[in-house]
Amino acid sequence: MKNRSPWLWIPTLYIAEGLPYFAVNTLTVLMYVKMGVSMSDMAFFTGWLYLPWVIKPFWSPFIDLFRTKRFWTLAMQALLAICMAGVGFLLPLPFFFAASLVCFWIMAFASATHDIAADGYYMLELTPHEQAAYVGVRSTFYRIASVVGQGGLVMVAGLLENRLESVSMAWSSVFLLLSAIFTLIFFYHLRYLPVAPADHPAPEPRNAVDIVREFGMTFATFFRKPGIIAALLFMLFYRLPEALCIKLVQPFLVASRESGGLGLSTIEVGFVNGTMGVIALLAGGILGGVMIASGGLKKWLWPMAMALTLPCLVYCWLAISQPQDFTLICSAIAIEQFGYGFGFTAFMLYLIYFSRGDWQTSHYAFCTAFMALGMMLPGMAAGWLYETLSHFSIVTDGVPSGFVNYFWFVMLSCLATFAVCASVKIDPEFGKKKS
């Protein structure tokens, strides 16, 4: 089994890592809005689903103690298949909201645990040279999962909405399809996921007390790093405009024109957000990497911060003008997503920069936890903000003011991004390509 080509399992492993993340954090937003859940309830309760990715560094060390990474990977894939089927069966019921949220909570914890186990397995099964050689493969198939999760599955839901004439049955079918896919992935990996010789529980006798003590040491050293306050503020607020946008963009796209939205169909949302948007996002990220390699992170931080924030103006324009040309809408969102991909590059590289030194892996995990927290908290408040700002009337030529006010508030939040960029200190040479 050790001699099997990584091509047999890396693509499917990272599709399995990406799909549940996008199902929990993206599909739920559009699904609940289409099923009549209020904006404030949708944003608040789906915002909580980020929590497992925030706190996963706290339980990741214990996965080393019990069984193997292969075992945890397979077990979580089986659990995800069961939870997806549970969502599918519960959506047509009257109490679907509370019941499906329970399944999504379990899915979120299972997905976060699967991330830990799958990434650990990747490092144990492959040599350092192979890890470097296949890093592009794993990234590519994770992005394919993004296109499928945010685009393909949404478009399938839209087609089924038209055919079945029932929103609940359409989304129920989508999650039953996802469950079938994960069942197939589980049995495929049961057969083709190699048993890595290095994949075994911690060899030396370690107990929970030792793990907690070691974790406490890494936690303490993280918060003693120079510039920790500025760094934490950067992690929490650099992406504030995007964190506010992400919960309301899909509801804005499908909302009727009478209520201030664009009135797109579910199929159109799947195409514009999950296909065109993701392609533009990837292009922006690639260009961002090239630019930082040529000039360094410090040089490109401010241009990238502006690229991440200022294109949010397209949503202000869309909300005010409500264009009917679908090509124009696609172009506007592609511009915003390209800017976000370009600007996000600086953020991820800063996490690597701040994590340098002893305990680098653990400190990077803490950074990603604060990154998730920075998306979770604004997302939870997004629905309440929208409903509150809807009560303030602004002259918009007859257009309801809810989304218009909200997206102008998003633009105001860009000031937080600029403030945290001004507070961090970065080595001018970091990120530059060496000769």
Side-chain angles (χ1 to χ4, degrees), residues 56-72 113 116-121 123-124 198-208 211 214-215 361-362:
K56 73 178 182 180
F58 290 89
W59 80 81
S60 58
F62 293 93
I63 292 179
D64 290 327
L65 287 178
F66 308 105
R67 305 299 293 261
T68 63
K69 302 296 188 300
R70 184 179 186 272
F71 167 83
W72 283 107
T113 305
I116 298 165
D119 291 340
Y121 175 84
M123 290 185 283
L124 291 171
D199 185 16
H200 47 68
E204 66 274 12
R206 299 177 74 202
N207 54 40
I211 291 287
E214 183 178 303
F215 181 84
T361 302
S362 297

Side-chain angles (χ1 to χ4, degrees), residues 392-409:
F392 297 93
S393 296
I394 295 179
V395 178
T396 53
D397 295 329
V399 178
S401 58
F403 286 112
V404 177
N405 292 357
Y406 185 81
F407 289 126
W408 279 119
F409 180 84

Side-chain angles (χ1 to χ4, degrees), residues 11 56 88 181 323 346 356:
K56 73 178 182 180
I181 291 171
R356 294 177 307 164

Side-chain angles (χ1 to χ4, degrees), residues 65-86:
L65 287 178
F66 308 105
R67 305 299 293 261
T68 63
K69 302 296 188 300
R70 184 179 186 272
F71 167 83
W72 283 107
T73 300
L74 292 170
M76 292 304 103
Q77 288 172 5
L79 181 57
L80 286 164
I82 294 169
C83 290
M84 289 167 178

Side-chain angles (χ1 to χ4, degrees), residues 49-374:
L49 296 175
Y50 268 107
L51 184 62
W53 285 275
V54 175
I55 63 175
K56 73 178 182 180
F58 290 89
W59 80 81
S60 58
F62 293 93
I63 292 179
D64 290 327
L65 287 178
F66 308 105
R67 305 299 293 261
T68 63
K69 302 296 188 300
R70 184 179 186 272
F71 167 83
W72 283 107
T73 300
L74 292 170
M76 292 304 103
Q77 288 172 5
L79 181 57
L80 286 164
I82 294 169
C83 290
M84 289 167 178
V87 171
F89 288 121
L90 290 168
L91 285 179
L93 302 179
F95 50 89
F96 73 91
F97 187 48
S100 61
L101 275 174
V102 172
C103 289
F104 281 123
W105 261 102
I106 300 171
M107 280 176 61
F109 278 98
S111 179
T113 305
H114 182 272
D115 291 354
I116 298 165
D119 291 340
Y121 175 84
Y122 175 89
M123 290 185 283
L124 291 171
E125 165 63 15
L126 301 179
T127 65
H129 168 71
E130 289 173 324
Q131 290 175 38
Y134 286 96
V135 70
V137 177
R138 60 180 274 187
S139 176
T140 298
F141 281 91
Y142 188 87
R143 291 302 178 189
I144 288 173
S146 170
V147 174
V148 173
Q150 298 182 87
L153 291 175
V154 174
M155 295 173 75
V156 169
L159 289 169
L160 292 174
E161 284 177 9
N162 296 335
R163 178 161 296 190
L164 301 176
E165 298 183 351
S166 169
V167 173
S168 61
M169 289 304 298
W171 286 96
S172 171
S173 301
V174 165
F175 277 93
L176 290 174
L177 173 63
L178 263 176
S179 176
I181 291 171
F182 260 78
T183 301
L184 291 174
I185 287 174
F186 167 75
F187 283 109
Y188 178 84
H189 285 160
L190 197 62
R191 176 71 180 85
Y192 288 103
L193 207 60
V195 177
D199 185 16
H200 47 68
E204 66 274 12
R206 299 177 74 202
N207 54 40
V209 174
D210 294 332
I211 291 287
V212 170
R213 186 181 297 115
E214 183 178 303
F215 181 84
M217 186 181 299
T218 62
F219 193 80
T221 56
F222 177 76
F223 283 96
R224 287 200 297 262
K225 289 176 79 74
I228 181 64
I229 300 298
L232 291 179
L233 291 173
F234 184 87
M235 294 171 205
L236 290 172
F237 291 105
Y238 179 81
R239 298 170 71 196
L240 180 59
E242 186 66 22
L244 290 169
C245 268
I246 199 167
K247 288 294 182 188
L248 269 291
V249 166
Q250 291 190 79
F252 165 64
L253 295 177
V254 298
S256 66
R257 291 180 173 269
E258 293 73 22
S259 61
L262 296 185
L264 300 185
S265 69
T266 305
I267 297 174
E268 289 173 325
V269 171
F271 179 79
V272 66
N273 222 28
T275 306
M276 295 297 294
V278 170
I279 292 170
L281 182 77
L282 290 173
I286 292 168
L287 180 62
V290 172
M291 293 297 100
I292 287 180
S294 67
L297 175 59
K298 184 178 177 67
K299 176 181 177 180
W300 282 98
L301 178 61
W302 277 98
M304 289 185 171
M306 292 183 206
L308 182 128
T309 53
L310 299 183
C312 292
L313 274 170
V314 301
Y315 292 119
C316 297
W317 174 74
L318 288 172
I320 293 170
S321 62
Q322 292 186 300
Q324 298 193 20
D325 187 336
F326 183 63
T327 303
L328 194 60
I329 295 171
C330 287
S331 301
I333 292 178
I335 290 169
E336 188 274 333
Q337 286 294 289
F338 179 86
Y340 175 65
F342 187 70
F344 184 62
T345 310
F347 181 78
M348 292 305 294
L349 199 59
Y350 179 79
L351 299 191
I352 296 171
Y353 173 77
F354 189 74
S355 303
R356 294 177 307 164
D358 296 335
W359 311 98
Q360 180 170 344
T361 302
S362 297
H363 288 177
Y364 185 77
F366 291 140
C367 288
T368 57
F370 279 102
M371 173 184 73
L373 186 64

